[in-house]
Amino acid sequence: MSVTPELPLVIERRADRVVATLSRPAVRNAIDQRTIDRLHELCAELERSPRILILIGADGVFASGADVAQLRERRAGDARRGINTRAFQRVRNLPMPVIAAIDGHALGGGAELAYAADIRIGTPRLQIGNPETGLGIIAAAGATWRLRELVGEGRAAEMLLTGRILDAATAVDWGLVSSLFEPGDLLAAAHALADRIARNDPLATRHTKTALLAPPAAHPDIDLELQAELFESPEKYRRMTAFLEGRGR
C-alpha cells in the first residue's frame, strides 16, 4: 500500500482499490480546476490498471460544490468545454466499480460527482442536492440526466427546479444513497463493500458494469455477448468447479 499526497486529492493505492480523498478543507472540498486535473490523472491510471475506486471527502464534508470563485469567471467557451462534466463522465465510465462515501455536504458539483459513482453510501448528517439555479446556472455536470435515472423524473425535477437539498433519511428513501453509517465507520463500510466486490471475478465485475451502463436498446444483445466471453473464461470454470466440489463435501 502506498499513500501519495496529491492535494486537492489524497490518493491511497492498494493492489485492488484506490481511495481518493477530496481535501480542500479551507473551502469545504470545493471542486476546482486542480481537483479536475487530478481526477483526470487518476482516471487515466485506473483505465490502464483497473481497480475499485472509493471517493470520500476530508473533514466531514464530501464536497460543497464546484469552486464558485472559479465558476464566476467562466464564460460560454468554458461551459462548452464541459470542465467538470468530462471528468465526471470519465469517473462514471471507469472499468471497475466506484463507491462514493458521503459525509456532510455533497452539493452542486459535489453531488454530481457522487451521482457518477456506482454505489453511494452516507452518514446521518449527509446533505445532498443541486442549488445551481440559485446561482444563475444549471446543474450541467450530470444531474439533469443521472438524477432522473436515480430517483425518477418527478423527484429529479423537484430537486433541480427548487434547489431542494435532501437529508440523509430522504436520500435513502428515494434510493439516492443505499445505506447510512456513523461518520467514524464510513470509510470502513466503503472498504467492506470493496472487499465484497474484490472477492468476485474481476472480469465478471467489469462486464456487469458495462451491461449496467449500456443504453436500454443495447439489451439483451450486449449481455449475451459479454456472457459469451465469460463462458469461455478459465476463471468461470475454476470458480464453478470449486463451487460444485464444495457443495459435494
Side-chain angles (χ1 to χ4, degrees):
M1 180 180 72
S2 65
V3 178
T4 305
E6 297 181 0
L7 295 176
L9 287 182
V10 176
I11 310 296
E12 175 192 332
R13 295 174 175 86
R14 301 188 184 185
D16 60 0
R17 73 197 64 173
V18 170
V19 180
T21 303
L22 294 152
S23 185
R24 299 185 70 215
V27 289
R28 299 175 63 78
N29 303 335
I31 297 171
D32 66 347
Q33 184 65 59
R34 290 194 309 139
T35 308
I36 294 299
D37 292 342
R38 297 298 184 268
L39 276 173
H40 277 298
E41 292 171 7
L42 178 58
C43 286
E45 175 185 334
L46 294 177
E47 289 159 359
R48 292 190 304 269
S49 177
R51 281 163 287 171
I52 300 161
L53 173 61
I54 296 172
L55 292 167
I56 195 167
D59 294 345
V61 177
F62 184 73
S64 60
D67 191 304
V68 176
Q70 291 188 0
L71 278 179
R72 186 181 61 180
E73 303 307 316
R74 290 177 182 170
R75 295 296 182 262
D78 299 307
R80 294 189 178 101
R81 284 196 296 129
I83 294 169
N84 289 6
T85 305
R86 303 306 178 200
F88 298 169
Q89 281 182 316
R90 209 166 174 185
V91 170
R92 181 65 176 145
N93 292 324
L94 285 172
M96 288 291 281
V98 178
I99 301 166
I102 308 165
D103 190 16
H105 288 103
L107 303 177
E112 290 177 300
L113 176 57
Y115 303 156
D118 300 287
I119 300 170
R120 283 163 298 282
I121 60 175
T123 72
R125 60 190 184 189
L126 173 153
Q127 299 279 315
I128 188 167
N130 294 89
E132 280 90 343
T133 54
L135 294 173
I137 58 174
I138 70 169
T144 57
W145 67 94
R146 290 199 185 101
L147 195 54
R148 181 173 55 189
E149 295 174 355
L150 293 169
V151 301
E153 185 173 351
R155 285 172 168 171
E158 179 183 343
M159 289 180 67
L160 294 173
L161 295 174
T162 69
R164 178 177 176 181
I165 307 302
L166 303 188
D167 61 20
T170 306
V172 171
D173 184 55
W174 286 15
L176 191 55
V177 171
S178 60
S179 50
L180 300 177
F181 303 88
E182 290 303 315
D185 299 327
L186 182 62
L187 183 56
H191 277 299
L193 283 169
D195 289 341
R196 292 183 64 179
I197 293 168
R199 287 195 292 268
N200 298 325
D201 174 28
L203 184 59
T205 298
R206 291 178 61 177
H207 281 3
T208 298
K209 178 165 180 176
T210 296
L212 282 167
L213 292 181
H219 299 284
D221 291 347
I222 189 169
D223 306 77
L224 302 182
E225 285 303 316
L226 294 168
Q227 190 78 299
E229 182 179 344
L230 291 168
F231 271 18
E232 299 294 330
S233 165
E235 183 65 8
K236 168 252 189 179
Y237 186 86
R238 185 193 72 78
R239 285 174 176 262
M240 290 192 175
T241 300
F243 173 82
L244 292 169
E245 291 175 349
R247 189 176 64 178
R249 290 195 186 99

